[in-house]
Amino acid sequence: MAFITKEKFLSNEWLRTYAFLIIGSIIFAVSDILFVVPYKLAPGGVYGIATVLNTMFGWKISYSTFAMEIPLVIIGTIILGPRFGVKTIVSIVTILFTVWLMETYISPDYAKVIADPMLNTIVAGVFYGISIGLIFKSRATSGGSDIIAMIMAKYTKLSLGKLVIIVDGIIVLFTLVQPTETGEIGWEFAIYSLIIIYIEGKIIDTVVSGANYHKTVMIVSDKFDSIAKKITLDLKRGATIFEATGAYSGENKKMVYSVMSRRELEILKLYIKKEDPTAFVNVTDAQEIIGKGFMSLNDE
């Protein structure tokens, strides 16, 4: 059946999903009108193009965006499925309606909320990232270039944040056709827009995948047994012991592998320092952890 949702209607999951979707959509619209349009910025997406058209021809952003969204939604629904389609339509309608209300009832001059251009750019990037991250968590998009990014994500291993940066980085070039007050090419529009895109991409990855609060740790030590017990019995984390061979010495070694929080890692490091100060410890960020004690595959 077309245009159905995976979540059971009015279930806790359904309510959470659509809360993310609607809140994210409203934040996006408000951020665009208050922080992006006043400075003639175009940080990617159809709203970026619509801002340029608004600056040059005075066309309403909501009307221009609506005309561009239709073909993209059709393509996205065909490739990503009907669940993608219904949620994205809800997001698009929410954003368009909010933008239309603000365009209609706020002064056309869009009084600048933040006077400093750089501070405004940082705030815009943060709010854009939060809004689109919330929309992505609901398994939808805000439309426009987000659809292109999600389609690319389906066929590549790049994160959504990186793909948004790539797609929107190309679209931001449209700002160059906007002349400055002195009649020169608007390089500052493009530079500020690129900064927004960079901040936005980082925030999206944080919202969607979570901040790097967990670390992957690999320990090579003769006291591997006591270290593994510390992890499993005290820290209550899983651990795996691997057979390893030193490339230089040729000696057989044991390596302990585990994933834990930053706080737990600090406790473990203090223990290793006391137990075996010569141990080799490698720590890396754990970008995504799926399994017992972390996120379930059912949450994916």
Side-chain angles (χ1 to χ4, degrees):
M1 181 178 177
F3 295 104
I4 59 174
T5 57
K6 179 181 178 181
E7 302 82 10
K8 184 178 179 181
F9 182 63
L10 294 182
S11 65
N12 289 336
E13 185 179 4
W14 185 92
L15 292 172
R16 185 182 66 176
T17 295
Y18 279 87
F20 283 153
L21 185 62
I22 293 173
I23 292 171
S25 299
I26 293 174
I27 293 174
F28 180 92
V30 173
S31 300
D32 187 71
I33 295 300
L34 295 185
F35 304 118
V36 174
V37 175
Y39 282 95
K40 302 178 182 179
L41 305 178
V46 294
Y47 279 90
I49 298 173
T51 299
V52 175
L53 296 175
N54 174 267
T55 300
M56 299 186 69
F57 305 110
W59 297 351
K60 268 198 168 185
I61 293 174
S62 53
Y63 295 165
S64 299
T65 303
F66 180 77
M68 289 184 280
E69 293 280 22
I70 295 174
L72 288 173
V73 170
I74 294 173
I75 294 171
T77 302
I78 292 172
I79 295 177
L80 301 176
R83 286 191 298 271
F84 160 86
V86 66
K87 290 177 182 176
T88 296
I89 288 174
V90 170
S91 177
I92 289 172
V93 170
T94 303
I95 294 173
L96 281 173
F97 181 68
T98 306
V99 167
W100 178 83
L101 281 178
M102 297 187 72
E103 282 186 310
T104 303
Y105 295 104
I106 294 181
S107 169
D109 295 329
Y110 302 121
K112 296 177 179 178
V113 177
I114 300 176
D116 181 75
M118 179 56 73
L119 179 59
N120 176 84
T121 298
I122 294 171
V123 172
V126 170
F127 278 101
Y128 255 36
I130 292 172
S131 64
I132 297 176
L134 289 173
I135 293 169
F136 280 170
K137 279 184 75 70
S138 70
R139 295 294 188 266
T141 83
S142 61
S145 62
D146 295 347
I147 297 177
I148 300 173
M150 287 194 79
I151 292 173
M152 292 174 66
K154 183 176 180 180
Y155 300 105
T156 69
K157 294 183 179 180
L158 294 176
S159 71
L160 285 172
K162 290 184 176 66
L163 288 169
V164 168
I165 291 176
I166 293 171
V167 174
D168 288 348
I170 296 172
I171 295 175
V172 78
L173 296 176
F174 281 96
T175 59
L176 297 179
V177 303
Q178 297 180 125
T180 62
E181 294 180 358
T182 60
E184 300 175 349
I185 295 176
W187 289 107
E188 67 267 35
F189 300 141
I191 293 171
Y192 283 134
S193 297
L194 287 172
I195 293 173
I196 291 177
I197 291 171
Y198 178 80
I199 297 173
E200 172 191 338
K202 295 299 181 181
I203 298 295
I204 288 172
D205 282 342
T206 299
V207 174
V208 173
S209 301
N212 291 327
Y213 293 128
H214 290 93
K215 301 290 184 178
T216 296
V217 57
M218 291 175 284
I219 308 142
V220 178
S221 169
D222 292 334
K223 301 294 183 69
F224 66 90
D225 190 48
S226 62
I227 292 173
K229 287 180 179 178
K230 175 70 174 180
I231 295 172
T232 57
L233 300 179
D234 189 6
L235 300 181
K236 305 299 182 183
R237 289 294 184 185
T240 302
I241 299 176
F242 292 100
E243 295 283 349
T245 303
Y248 178 76
S249 65
E251 295 180 0
N252 292 327
K253 300 283 186 177
K254 298 284 188 179
M255 182 175 69
V256 182
Y257 170 90
S258 184
V259 178
M260 60 192 65
S261 69
R262 290 174 178 172
R263 181 186 64 82
E264 292 163 343
L265 175 62
E266 292 307 312
I267 295 173
L268 179 63
K269 286 196 295 185
L270 287 174
Y271 179 81
I272 295 173
K273 182 179 179 181
K274 178 183 177 181
E275 191 73 6
D276 183 8
T278 63
F280 177 83
V281 182
N282 176 248
V283 180
T284 59
D285 287 333
Q287 295 290 346
E288 186 175 15
I289 315 165
I290 300 173
K292 186 176 181 180
F294 298 96
M295 183 175 66
S296 170
L297 280 170
N298 293 325
D299 295 330
E300 275 289 281

